[in-house]
Amino acid sequence: MSCGCGKNENQGDKVSPTHGHCVCEAVRFIKRLQDTHQDDDCFDCDTDCFMRPLGSLVSPANERFNTRVFSLLTEDGDFFKAMYRPATVTPAGSRSGTVTPPNTCFSVFFRVQNIFDDCCATLMVLEPRDANGPVNLFDCGKLCLDRLCQVTEFRATKSCITVDLNCFCAIQCITDTYVTQCPPATT
């Protein structure tokens, strides 16, 4: 199989939904894993999307987990990005207005919410964060790869995107974590 929305590498035809697609199958597995939390075997690759149980991508696994964070790559090898509405923050002691962290409305990190119709999925866009708050992954509209390494935490957003998983060439699982399903209120 080659990249390009599930095309067969020899014929250029669309792959039959009954034959599967590796990105789709990985996301389908992640969804089942997030829903079941069952123990199983260990694997050598410490970021393999098919590792069980949820929490296997973190060492030591002494926390509770409900999310396997992942990124998707497009046909040309670029990270797939999606926009989200950042939570607004009211500074302590402030009587008026709110402050929104600047330039932090795009992410390449996702949590699967639902899979349907052969290989479509609803993904929650996760806010990338470090110990100091949101991490701006982009500079002048371009992804800054060095900033990806600064991300140590993820926060749920109220933004979801529906995608055709057959249109991605690769998936990279990042970590297992607990993501509060009720994102901070926006004003």
mmCIF file of all heavy atoms in Angstrom, residues 69-102:
data_model
loop_
_atom_site.group_PDB
_atom_site.id
_atom_site.type_symbol
_atom_site.label_atom_id
_atom_site.label_comp_id
_atom_site.label_asym_id
_atom_site.label_seq_id
_atom_site.Cartn_x
_atom_site.Cartn_y
_atom_site.Cartn_z
ATOM 1 N N VAL A 69 -2.237 9.465 23.072
ATOM 2 C CA VAL A 69 -2.020 10.651 22.237
ATOM 3 C C VAL A 69 -1.271 10.222 20.983
ATOM 4 O O VAL A 69 -0.296 9.467 21.060
ATOM 5 C CB VAL A 69 -1.205 11.718 23.001
ATOM 6 C CG1 VAL A 69 -0.945 12.934 22.121
ATOM 7 C CG2 VAL A 69 -1.915 12.117 24.288
ATOM 8 N N PHE A 70 -1.723 10.726 19.817
ATOM 9 C CA PHE A 70 -1.041 10.384 18.576
ATOM 10 C C PHE A 70 -1.053 11.552 17.616
ATOM 11 O O PHE A 70 -1.796 12.526 17.776
ATOM 12 C CB PHE A 70 -1.670 9.148 17.919
ATOM 13 C CG PHE A 70 -3.115 9.323 17.524
ATOM 14 C CD1 PHE A 70 -3.455 9.793 16.259
ATOM 15 C CD2 PHE A 70 -4.124 9.001 18.399
ATOM 16 C CE1 PHE A 70 -4.780 9.947 15.895
ATOM 17 C CE2 PHE A 70 -5.452 9.143 18.049
ATOM 18 C CZ PHE A 70 -5.789 9.621 16.795
ATOM 19 N N SER A 71 -0.182 11.461 16.612
ATOM 20 C CA SER A 71 -0.114 12.416 15.509
ATOM 21 C C SER A 71 -0.283 11.640 14.212
ATOM 22 O O SER A 71 0.075 10.465 14.131
ATOM 23 C CB SER A 71 1.244 13.132 15.485
ATOM 24 O OG SER A 71 1.392 13.958 16.614
ATOM 25 N N LEU A 72 -0.802 12.308 13.203
ATOM 26 C CA LEU A 72 -0.987 11.717 11.876
ATOM 27 C C LEU A 72 -0.074 12.432 10.889
ATOM 28 O O LEU A 72 0.151 13.640 11.007
ATOM 29 C CB LEU A 72 -2.443 11.860 11.435
ATOM 30 C CG LEU A 72 -3.460 11.106 12.293
ATOM 31 C CD1 LEU A 72 -4.869 11.565 11.975
ATOM 32 C CD2 LEU A 72 -3.314 9.607 12.071
ATOM 33 N N LEU A 73 0.439 11.675 9.915
ATOM 34 C CA LEU A 73 1.282 12.265 8.884
ATOM 35 C C LEU A 73 0.603 12.136 7.531
ATOM 36 O O LEU A 73 0.000 11.104 7.223
ATOM 37 C CB LEU A 73 2.655 11.601 8.851
ATOM 38 C CG LEU A 73 3.600 12.093 9.954
ATOM 39 C CD1 LEU A 73 3.268 11.438 11.276
ATOM 40 C CD2 LEU A 73 5.032 11.873 9.581
ATOM 41 N N THR A 74 0.731 13.181 6.734
ATOM 42 C CA THR A 74 0.106 13.232 5.418
ATOM 43 C C THR A 74 0.975 12.527 4.382
ATOM 44 O O THR A 74 2.088 12.084 4.684
ATOM 45 C CB THR A 74 -0.119 14.689 4.990
ATOM 46 O OG1 THR A 74 1.164 15.336 4.884
ATOM 47 C CG2 THR A 74 -0.996 15.440 5.988
ATOM 48 N N GLU A 75 0.475 12.478 3.159
ATOM 49 C CA GLU A 75 1.172 11.809 2.064
ATOM 50 C C GLU A 75 2.583 12.343 1.853
ATOM 51 O O GLU A 75 3.500 11.600 1.553
ATOM 52 C CB GLU A 75 0.358 11.974 0.778
ATOM 53 C CG GLU A 75 0.994 11.325 -0.424
ATOM 54 C CD GLU A 75 0.130 11.434 -1.667
ATOM 55 O OE1 GLU A 75 -0.981 11.979 -1.591
ATOM 56 O OE2 GLU A 75 0.589 10.969 -2.722
ATOM 57 N N ASP A 76 2.785 13.645 2.037
ATOM 58 C CA ASP A 76 4.114 14.228 1.831
ATOM 59 C C ASP A 76 4.981 14.203 3.090
ATOM 60 O O ASP A 76 6.058 14.781 3.125
ATOM 61 C CB ASP A 76 4.014 15.645 1.267
ATOM 62 C CG ASP A 76 3.191 16.576 2.129
ATOM 63 O OD1 ASP A 76 2.742 16.150 3.211
ATOM 64 O OD2 ASP A 76 2.988 17.730 1.720
ATOM 65 N N GLY A 77 4.514 13.519 4.151
ATOM 66 C CA GLY A 77 5.310 13.355 5.363
ATOM 67 C C GLY A 77 5.158 14.481 6.369
ATOM 68 O O GLY A 77 5.835 14.483 7.396
ATOM 69 N N ASP A 78 4.266 15.428 6.110
ATOM 70 C CA ASP A 78 4.042 16.529 7.043
ATOM 71 C C ASP A 78 3.067 16.114 8.134
ATOM 72 O O ASP A 78 2.186 15.288 7.909
ATOM 73 C CB ASP A 78 3.462 17.752 6.317
ATOM 74 C CG ASP A 78 4.464 18.391 5.381
ATOM 75 O OD1 ASP A 78 5.689 18.276 5.616
ATOM 76 O OD2 ASP A 78 4.023 19.020 4.390
ATOM 77 N N PHE A 79 3.217 16.719 9.306
ATOM 78 C CA PHE A 79 2.259 16.493 10.374
ATOM 79 C C PHE A 79 0.921 17.096 9.978
ATOM 80 O O PHE A 79 0.855 18.213 9.466
ATOM 81 C CB PHE A 79 2.725 17.157 11.678
ATOM 82 C CG PHE A 79 3.757 16.364 12.419
ATOM 83 C CD1 PHE A 79 5.107 16.547 12.165
ATOM 84 C CD2 PHE A 79 3.381 15.445 13.381
ATOM 85 C CE1 PHE A 79 6.060 15.834 12.849
ATOM 86 C CE2 PHE A 79 4.324 14.717 14.075
ATOM 87 C CZ PHE A 79 5.665 14.907 13.807
ATOM 88 N N PHE A 80 -0.147 16.361 10.229
ATOM 89 C CA PHE A 80 -1.498 16.876 10.035
ATOM 90 C C PHE A 80 -1.791 17.787 11.218
ATOM 91 O O PHE A 80 -1.523 17.445 12.362
ATOM 92 C CB PHE A 80 -2.492 15.716 9.987
ATOM 93 C CG PHE A 80 -3.922 16.146 9.920
ATOM 94 C CD1 PHE A 80 -4.436 16.731 8.773
ATOM 95 C CD2 PHE A 80 -4.759 15.956 11.009
ATOM 96 C CE1 PHE A 80 -5.764 17.129 8.710
ATOM 97 C CE2 PHE A 80 -6.083 16.345 10.951
ATOM 98 C CZ PHE A 80 -6.585 16.935 9.805
ATOM 99 N N LYS A 81 -2.313 18.968 10.934
ATOM 100 C CA LYS A 81 -2.608 19.921 12.005
ATOM 101 C C LYS A 81 -4.084 20.281 11.981
ATOM 102 O O LYS A 81 -4.745 20.167 10.953
ATOM 103 C CB LYS A 81 -1.755 21.178 11.867
ATOM 104 C CG LYS A 81 -2.047 21.996 10.626
ATOM 105 C CD LYS A 81 -1.102 23.179 10.518
ATOM 106 C CE LYS A 81 -1.291 23.975 9.257
ATOM 107 N NZ LYS A 81 -1.008 23.272 8.029
ATOM 108 N N ALA A 82 -4.565 20.686 13.127
ATOM 109 C CA ALA A 82 -5.950 21.132 13.237
ATOM 110 C C ALA A 82 -6.000 22.312 14.188
ATOM 111 O O ALA A 82 -5.185 22.436 15.110
ATOM 112 C CB ALA A 82 -6.844 20.003 13.735
ATOM 113 N N MET A 83 -6.971 23.167 13.942
ATOM 114 C CA MET A 83 -7.149 24.353 14.768
ATOM 115 C C MET A 83 -8.069 24.024 15.939
ATOM 116 O O MET A 83 -8.961 23.188 15.823
ATOM 117 C CB MET A 83 -7.770 25.469 13.921
ATOM 118 C CG MET A 83 -7.814 26.794 14.619
ATOM 119 S SD MET A 83 -8.295 28.129 13.512
ATOM 120 C CE MET A 83 -10.050 27.852 13.426
ATOM 121 N N TYR A 84 -7.830 24.666 17.050
ATOM 122 C CA TYR A 84 -8.715 24.536 18.201
ATOM 123 C C TYR A 84 -8.916 25.911 18.822
ATOM 124 O O TYR A 84 -8.139 26.834 18.587
ATOM 125 C CB TYR A 84 -8.162 23.555 19.236
ATOM 126 C CG TYR A 84 -6.870 23.993 19.895
ATOM 127 C CD1 TYR A 84 -6.892 24.697 21.095
ATOM 128 C CD2 TYR A 84 -5.639 23.699 19.335
ATOM 129 C CE1 TYR A 84 -5.712 25.099 21.708
ATOM 130 C CE2 TYR A 84 -4.459 24.088 19.935
ATOM 131 C CZ TYR A 84 -4.505 24.788 21.126
ATOM 132 O OH TYR A 84 -3.341 25.185 21.722
ATOM 133 N N ARG A 85 -9.991 26.025 19.580
ATOM 134 C CA ARG A 85 -10.234 27.268 20.309
ATOM 135 C C ARG A 85 -9.541 27.163 21.656
ATOM 136 O O ARG A 85 -9.932 26.357 22.492
ATOM 137 C CB ARG A 85 -11.729 27.495 20.516
ATOM 138 C CG ARG A 85 -12.443 27.884 19.250
ATOM 139 C CD ARG A 85 -13.882 28.144 19.537
ATOM 140 N NE ARG A 85 -14.450 26.878 20.060
ATOM 141 C CZ ARG A 85 -15.700 26.695 20.361
ATOM 142 N NH1 ARG A 85 -16.548 27.660 20.247
ATOM 143 N NH2 ARG A 85 -16.125 25.532 20.804
ATOM 144 N N PRO A 86 -8.514 27.981 21.872
ATOM 145 C CA PRO A 86 -7.821 27.908 23.162
ATOM 146 C C PRO A 86 -8.730 28.400 24.287
ATOM 147 O O PRO A 86 -9.575 29.261 24.078
ATOM 148 C CB PRO A 86 -6.611 28.814 22.987
ATOM 149 C CG PRO A 86 -6.883 29.647 21.797
ATOM 150 C CD PRO A 86 -7.928 28.954 20.980
ATOM 151 N N ALA A 87 -8.532 27.828 25.466
ATOM 152 C CA ALA A 87 -9.282 28.287 26.627
ATOM 153 C C ALA A 87 -8.821 29.689 26.963
ATOM 154 O O ALA A 87 -7.640 30.015 26.848
ATOM 155 C CB ALA A 87 -9.038 27.350 27.805
ATOM 156 N N THR A 88 -9.743 30.512 27.363
ATOM 157 C CA THR A 88 -9.377 31.852 27.798
ATOM 158 C C THR A 88 -9.078 31.805 29.282
ATOM 159 O O THR A 88 -9.641 31.009 30.024
ATOM 160 C CB THR A 88 -10.498 32.860 27.512
ATOM 161 O OG1 THR A 88 -11.696 32.379 28.109
ATOM 162 C CG2 THR A 88 -10.697 33.034 26.019
ATOM 163 N N VAL A 89 -8.177 32.657 29.691
ATOM 164 C CA VAL A 89 -7.729 32.665 31.068
ATOM 165 C C VAL A 89 -8.017 34.037 31.666
ATOM 166 O O VAL A 89 -7.664 35.055 31.075
ATOM 167 C CB VAL A 89 -6.213 32.367 31.149
ATOM 168 C CG1 VAL A 89 -5.725 32.427 32.580
ATOM 169 C CG2 VAL A 89 -5.908 31.031 30.510
ATOM 170 N N THR A 90 -8.648 34.044 32.819
ATOM 171 C CA THR A 90 -8.854 35.295 33.525
ATOM 172 C C THR A 90 -7.775 35.386 34.594
ATOM 173 O O THR A 90 -7.732 34.554 35.499
ATOM 174 C CB THR A 90 -10.255 35.344 34.182
ATOM 175 O OG1 THR A 90 -11.227 35.131 33.170
ATOM 176 C CG2 THR A 90 -10.481 36.661 34.879
ATOM 177 N N PRO A 91 -6.893 36.385 34.475
ATOM 178 C CA PRO A 91 -5.819 36.507 35.458
ATOM 179 C C PRO A 91 -6.380 36.705 36.867
ATOM 180 O O PRO A 91 -7.412 37.335 37.045
ATOM 181 C CB PRO A 91 -5.042 37.739 34.996
ATOM 182 C CG PRO A 91 -5.429 37.935 33.567
ATOM 183 C CD PRO A 91 -6.820 37.396 33.442
ATOM 184 N N ALA A 92 -5.678 36.168 37.868
ATOM 185 C CA ALA A 92 -6.109 36.298 39.257
ATOM 186 C C ALA A 92 -6.230 37.773 39.613
ATOM 187 O O ALA A 92 -5.357 38.577 39.302
ATOM 188 C CB ALA A 92 -5.113 35.605 40.179
ATOM 189 N N GLY A 93 -7.326 38.139 40.260
ATOM 190 C CA GLY A 93 -7.537 39.515 40.685
ATOM 191 C C GLY A 93 -8.048 40.431 39.594
ATOM 192 O O GLY A 93 -8.273 41.610 39.831
ATOM 193 N N SER A 94 -8.214 39.903 38.392
ATOM 194 C CA SER A 94 -8.684 40.725 37.281
ATOM 195 C C SER A 94 -10.191 40.916 37.386
ATOM 196 O O SER A 94 -10.924 39.987 37.666
ATOM 197 C CB SER A 94 -8.338 40.067 35.949
ATOM 198 O OG SER A 94 -8.882 40.808 34.896
ATOM 199 N N ARG A 95 -10.645 42.132 37.162
ATOM 200 C CA ARG A 95 -12.080 42.413 37.219
ATOM 201 C C ARG A 95 -12.714 42.398 35.845
ATOM 202 O O ARG A 95 -13.908 42.245 35.713
ATOM 203 C CB ARG A 95 -12.322 43.772 37.852
ATOM 204 C CG ARG A 95 -11.954 43.809 39.293
ATOM 205 C CD ARG A 95 -12.328 45.132 39.879
ATOM 206 N NE ARG A 95 -11.824 45.211 41.241
ATOM 207 C CZ ARG A 95 -11.902 46.270 41.972
ATOM 208 N NH1 ARG A 95 -12.443 47.368 41.493
ATOM 209 N NH2 ARG A 95 -11.438 46.265 43.191
ATOM 210 N N SER A 96 -11.918 42.592 34.822
ATOM 211 C CA SER A 96 -12.514 42.679 33.495
ATOM 212 C C SER A 96 -11.710 41.905 32.475
ATOM 213 O O SER A 96 -10.511 41.706 32.649
ATOM 214 C CB SER A 96 -12.593 44.146 33.054
ATOM 215 O OG SER A 96 -11.284 44.660 32.923
ATOM 216 N N GLY A 97 -12.408 41.484 31.452
ATOM 217 C CA GLY A 97 -11.756 40.876 30.294
ATOM 218 C C GLY A 97 -11.080 39.562 30.590
ATOM 219 O O GLY A 97 -10.997 39.104 31.711
ATOM 220 N N THR A 98 -10.623 38.970 29.538
ATOM 221 C CA THR A 98 -9.885 37.723 29.628
ATOM 222 C C THR A 98 -8.657 37.825 28.756
ATOM 223 O O THR A 98 -8.577 38.665 27.865
ATOM 224 C CB THR A 98 -10.744 36.537 29.145
ATOM 225 O OG1 THR A 98 -11.145 36.786 27.806
ATOM 226 C CG2 THR A 98 -11.967 36.334 30.026
ATOM 227 N N VAL A 99 -7.718 36.973 29.027
ATOM 228 C CA VAL A 99 -6.485 36.940 28.251
ATOM 229 C C VAL A 99 -6.368 35.560 27.622
ATOM 230 O O VAL A 99 -6.513 34.553 28.311
ATOM 231 C CB VAL A 99 -5.257 37.216 29.143
ATOM 232 C CG1 VAL A 99 -3.972 37.093 28.353
ATOM 233 C CG2 VAL A 99 -5.380 38.577 29.795
ATOM 234 N N THR A 100 -6.129 35.505 26.332
ATOM 235 C CA THR A 100 -5.925 34.247 25.644
ATOM 236 C C THR A 100 -4.452 34.143 25.282
ATOM 237 O O THR A 100 -3.888 35.091 24.729
ATOM 238 C CB THR A 100 -6.768 34.187 24.353
ATOM 239 O OG1 THR A 100 -8.132 34.357 24.710
ATOM 240 C CG2 THR A 100 -6.588 32.861 23.656
ATOM 241 N N PRO A 101 -3.813 33.017 25.582
ATOM 242 C CA PRO A 101 -2.405 32.877 25.188
ATOM 243 C C PRO A 101 -2.272 33.080 23.675
ATOM 244 O O PRO A 101 -3.068 32.535 22.914
ATOM 245 C CB PRO A 101 -2.068 31.438 25.583
ATOM 246 C CG PRO A 101 -3.081 31.074 26.619
ATOM 247 C CD PRO A 101 -4.321 31.845 26.267
ATOM 248 N N PRO A 102 -1.308 33.867 23.226
ATOM 249 C CA PRO A 102 -1.189 34.185 21.808
ATOM 250 C C PRO A 102 -0.671 33.020 20.967
ATOM 251 O O PRO A 102 0.145 32.231 21.436
ATOM 252 C CB PRO A 102 -0.184 35.340 21.792
ATOM 253 C CG PRO A 102 0.650 35.117 23.013
ATOM 254 C CD PRO A 102 -0.277 34.497 24.032
#
